[in-house]
Amino acid sequence: MNKKIFKTILTSVTLVMIVSLFCATGVLYFYFDNLQNRSMKEELSLAQIALENEGKTYFDSLSADENYRLTWIDSSGNVICDSVEKDLDNHSDRQEFKDAINKGEGFSSRYSQTLTEKSIYYAKKLSDGTVLRIAKRQKTVTNLLFGLAEPALILFGLSVILAYVLAKKSAKQIVEPLNNLNLDNPLSNDTYEELSPLLLRINSQHQQIDQQLNLLEKKNSQFNQITDNLQESLILLDSNNQIININKAACKLFDTDRNCLNKDFIYISRDYNLNSALQKAMEKGHCEIEKEIEGSFYQFDISRIDYEKEVCGAVILAFDITQRKQAEQIRKEFSANVSHELKTPLQGIIGSAELIENGMVKQQDVGRFVGHIRQEAQRMVNMINDIIRLSQLDEQNGSFPTEKVDLTALAGQCIEQLKGIAQKKNVEIVLQAKQVAVTGVRQLLWEILYNLLDNAIKYNKENGKVTVVINQEQDEIIIEVDDTGIGIAKEDQERIFERFYRVDKSHSKATGGTGLGLSIVKHAVMYHGGRIDIVSELNKGTKIKVIIPANGTQEGK
Ligand code: ADP
């Protein structure tokens, strides 16, 4: 600003000075030229009088002054007398002489070789036909200009200083009110009138920006609300890997909060694989990786975002795939367990069959061997049935038919079926139940009651007791199977619901157990949206409590 004003003032001053210099020189020059012409005329008239009075001797009285030179020329142009030089050549070709002869008087001027001086001639025809000429030397305009150059330069120097001071003062006067403008409230400013259109414009732009900001904030909060309700973790990055947006799930996953916004992704995760995947996605467009974070498995889906062929960022989506992973793991373990569990009875069957085939079994022992083969085959059938039920439960998506089931009646039927086994051990079964009905899957409810009762008898002591209590408390149905059996150690209590888990393998096998009964119970209870509690003490007994909602099958699944 300062510089600009200074330049403008200086340019104006310089231009004005140059124009003034030329104008003044021109005016002065012409004024003095006129004055000189007049004085030359007067001086020539005086010289004419003196010449007419004194004749040629008048020239002797004149001093040889170049600035005042008098020449007397005859009518043919020959110089009769000259106040400065003798023996001058013929002057008949000089303009002033020719004009004097023809018109009575004549003016002419001639420049010196350096052009810094010029000689002015005035000639007048005398009454005797001769011509008297006066010549004077005069400085030219160029010379005059050179002469004025010095004061002009001094003046210019002063102008520069003045221009600088003025420019600084003007800039301050202009800029100060501008700096003090209240741009937050442009219309409240009391300043130059010329600024009004600008302030009005700023005010209207302020309003526009406010509106747009409000709209943006609204959209941003809508976007945050939507993304915060996502179960998947979502992170948006810009092209420099800086976090633009992060939803609640992602904050939880990376144990951070929204303060990480505008920071590099590395701020929330230093994981090498994840950062490499991000790098890869930025280069190739897309990358997927699976990662385990604090015991859970996540699939990270990273996609680059391009806009008009420019990379403008990336979106990271993380899906919780723990359940899928666990299911995969369970399936793997299950397949391995099934093969193993089926192999054992099969080997027993093959072994016994081979012995009989080779005649290595005495006739009286054949029955025992065949009995063993039947027992092992029965175990296999039991196991296969349990596996089929479990896989049905695994694959079911709520498509078991539901009905109103009288649980008390169902428990009675189970007791009836298991009566034989119970009698063998002299185990007493007591059913304490009013009539309780539930909306559920009859077959699954049967599995629950049957397996719990079966275990309560199998793992009971001789002359033991099993109490079955079925009750309804508000909206919940409670089935309690209480035995006086061998009990389950604390460390085994959580594991007995795992597939093929048996506390005492030999005991379980001896009783025809498959290790799948409680897994089926767990699945069936979960299918009904219920839960299981277990209280057990070694050598004292076990109480397994199943709680299911009275009116539904799928809630809580
Ligand atoms: P199994 O076919 O072997 O009985 P389950 O899945 O029904 O398989 O039971 C798993 C294991 O839990 C059993 O092998 C047994 O060791 C233990 N168990 C289950 N119920 C009882 C109970 N009422 N008392 C003692 N142990 C039990």
Side-chain angles (χ1 to χ4, degrees):
M1 184 76 159
N2 224 346
K3 264 187 186 171
K4 243 185 168 172
I5 296 175
F6 174 65
K7 262 189 186 170
T8 314
I9 296 178
L10 195 64
T11 315
S12 319
V13 167
T14 313
L15 277 173
V16 169
M17 274 189 66
I18 292 170
V19 172
S20 313
L21 188 68
F22 278 102
C23 288
T25 311
V27 169
L28 282 177
Y29 186 79
F30 285 110
Y31 174 74
F32 286 117
D33 202 36
N34 269 338
L35 212 66
Q36 183 148 318
N37 286 353
R38 268 212 313 273
S39 85
M40 277 174 84
K41 272 186 179 178
E42 281 165 12
E43 281 172 24
L44 194 71
S45 299
L46 289 173
Q48 182 190 350
I49 296 165
L51 185 68
E52 280 168 355
N53 288 337
E54 294 174 35
K56 205 177 172 182
T57 51
Y58 169 66
F59 276 87
D60 298 334
S61 63
L62 294 174
S63 56
D65 183 0
E66 285 275 351
N67 282 324
Y68 182 81
R69 183 178 166 191
L70 212 60
T71 315
W72 188 21
I73 310 159
D74 69 11
S75 56
S76 337
N78 294 317
V79 176
I80 306 166
C81 268
D82 187 274
S83 62
V84 177
E85 280 184 55
K86 309 283 170 219
D87 302 327
L88 285 167
D89 52 354
N90 192 286
H91 276 33
S92 57
D93 58 338
R94 310 289 160 92
Q95 189 59 46
E96 70 278 7
F97 174 77
K98 284 189 217 165
D99 288 346
I101 293 293
N102 296 330
K103 300 172 194 167
E105 62 176 2
F107 264 109
S108 81
S109 58
R110 283 184 283 282
Y111 286 90
S112 69
Q113 273 177 343
T114 55
L115 293 174
T116 54
E117 269 188 348
K118 89 174 176 180
S119 299
I120 302 168
Y121 300 95
Y122 174 61
K124 194 175 175 187
K125 194 177 173 184
L126 303 183
S127 51
D128 59 355
T130 59
V131 172
L132 186 61
R133 185 187 77 172
I134 187 168
K136 276 199 170 187
R137 288 212 175 158
Q138 194 188 45
K139 303 277 183 204
T140 60
V141 181
T142 328
N143 211 317
L144 203 64
L145 273 175
F146 279 128
L148 284 173
E150 199 183 282
L153 276 175
I154 293 170
L155 212 61
F156 182 71
L158 288 174
S159 307
V160 171
I161 296 167
L162 196 69
Y164 179 75
V165 175
L166 277 176
K168 244 189 145 172
K169 213 175 159 192
S170 306
K172 202 179 163 195
Q173 273 175 351
I174 296 169
V175 169
E176 211 165 61
L178 289 178
N179 281 339
N180 292 332
L181 279 180
N182 177 4
L183 291 178
D184 291 332
N185 192 1
L187 297 185
S188 68
N189 292 294
D190 183 17
T191 181
Y192 335 117
E193 221 167 273
E194 290 83 349
L195 282 180
S196 292
L198 175 75
L199 293 173
L200 280 170
R201 189 112 183 255
I202 292 174
N203 188 51
S204 93
Q205 280 183 349
H206 253 291
Q207 285 172 349
Q208 268 180 25
I209 291 169
D210 280 350
Q211 277 173 3
Q212 281 170 355
L213 265 177
N214 282 341
L215 203 75
L216 265 177
E217 264 172 31
K218 209 171 151 192
K219 285 199 167 164
N220 204 25
S221 99
Q222 274 175 352
F223 180 77
N224 283 342
Q225 268 176 13
I226 293 168
T227 54
D228 278 349
N229 282 312
L230 276 179
Q231 279 191 340
E232 289 78 21
S233 305
L234 175 84
I235 302 169
L236 294 179
L237 304 177
D238 67 7
S239 55
N240 298 318
N241 290 355
Q242 287 197 336
I243 302 164
I244 304 171
N245 200 296
I246 181 164
N247 73 348
K248 258 188 194 163
C251 283
K252 203 171 156 203
L253 177 62
F254 289 104
D255 191 22
T256 184
D257 52 30
R258 287 222 156 88
N259 285 332
C260 66
L261 289 178
N262 300 321
K263 292 193 175 128
D264 200 282
F265 178 69
I266 205 147
Y267 177 81
I268 59 166
S269 172
R270 294 189 172 270
D271 184 85
Y272 174 76
N273 294 334
L274 201 53
N275 279 285
S276 303
L278 176 60
Q279 180 85 17
K280 210 165 152 191
M282 282 295 198
E283 284 163 13
K284 299 195 170 162
H286 185 80
C287 189
E288 279 176 19
I289 71 159
E290 284 181 10
K291 265 212 69 57
E292 190 191 338
I293 300 175
E294 288 178 4
S296 296
F297 291 89
Y298 294 90
Q299 181 180 319
F300 286 87
D301 230 327
I302 311 171
S303 301
R304 190 181 66 202
I305 308 166
D306 294 338
Y307 182 69
E308 291 181 350
K309 292 185 183 163
E310 288 267 318
V311 176
C312 59
V315 54
I316 302 176
L317 257 173
F319 304 91
D320 189 342
I321 52 163
T322 315
Q323 275 190 345
R324 198 185 82 198
K325 278 270 173 195
Q326 280 171 350
E328 267 171 29
Q329 187 62 25
I330 288 169
R331 252 196 297 278
K332 270 185 210 159
E333 282 173 12
F334 187 61
S335 310
N337 281 335
V338 166
S339 320
H340 179 76
E341 295 290 336
L342 287 176
K343 217 169 126 190
T344 321
L346 259 180
Q347 275 171 340
I349 291 170
I350 293 168
S352 301
E354 271 177 359
L355 288 173
I356 296 170
E357 193 181 26
N358 297 333
M360 292 173 80
V361 179
K362 289 180 193 158
Q363 195 57 41
Q364 64 265 32
D365 291 332
V366 171
R368 195 165 52 83
F369 272 78
V370 172
H372 179 68
I373 290 173
R374 194 199 54 75
Q375 204 183 339
E376 290 295 293
Q378 185 57 51
R379 229 160 71 78
M380 278 176 69
V381 170
N382 288 347
M383 198 175 293
I384 288 166
N385 281 337
D386 281 354
I387 291 168
I388 290 169
R389 243 167 265 143
L390 261 179
S391 54
Q392 272 174 347
L393 277 167
D394 279 344
E395 281 160 25
Q396 273 308 321
N397 289 315
S399 55
F400 282 116
T402 57
E403 59 189 288
K404 205 130 188 109
V405 182
D406 180 347
L407 273 183
T408 318
L410 202 67
Q413 287 164 21
C414 284
I415 294 168
E416 197 55 37
Q417 272 215 10
L418 292 164
K419 214 159 70 182
I421 315 169
Q423 275 168 1
K424 274 187 201 163
K425 277 183 117 178
N426 199 25
V427 171
E428 183 197 356
I429 306 174
V430 181
L431 174 65
Q432 295 174 353
K434 295 183 200 134
Q435 211 192 14
V436 176
V438 63
T439 310
V441 182
R442 174 178 289 276
Q443 198 209 325
L444 298 184
L445 292 168
W446 166 270
E447 295 287 352
I448 296 171
L449 285 165
Y450 186 90
N451 279 301
L452 291 181
L453 263 166
D454 185 36
N455 284 348
I457 298 165
K458 271 194 308 189
Y459 302 106
N460 217 320
K461 295 173 192 159
E462 292 279 330
N463 308 318
K465 186 178 175 187
V466 175
T467 314
V468 183
V469 182
I470 301 173
N471 232 332
Q472 177 158 8
E473 282 178 15
Q474 285 151 358
D475 293 340
E476 290 182 331
I477 305 289
I478 296 153
I479 305 167
E480 254 178 43
V481 180
D482 199 350
D483 67 56
T484 53
I486 58 171
I488 307 159
K490 200 98 198 128
E491 62 272 21
D492 293 315
Q493 285 177 15
E494 273 182 22
R495 301 204 59 194
I496 53 173
F497 295 95
E498 289 174 20
R499 293 172 189 197
F500 297 110
Y501 188 81
R502 284 166 285 205
V503 178
D504 179 353
K505 279 202 179 215
S506 54
H507 187 167
S508 170
K509 276 184 188 171
T511 52
T514 59
L516 292 171
L518 284 183
S519 297
I520 294 170
V521 170
K522 186 178 139 192
H523 268 74
V525 171
M526 274 167 63
Y527 187 87
H528 284 87
R531 59 186 194 278
I532 306 173
D533 284 345
I534 176 165
V535 183
S536 182
E537 206 176 320
L538 275 177
N539 291 320
K540 282 209 166 160
T542 304
K543 186 201 271 185
I544 295 184
K545 193 171 171 185
V546 169
I547 303 128
I548 48 175
N551 60 344
T553 52
Q554 293 294 315
E555 298 107 14
K557 226 194 135 186

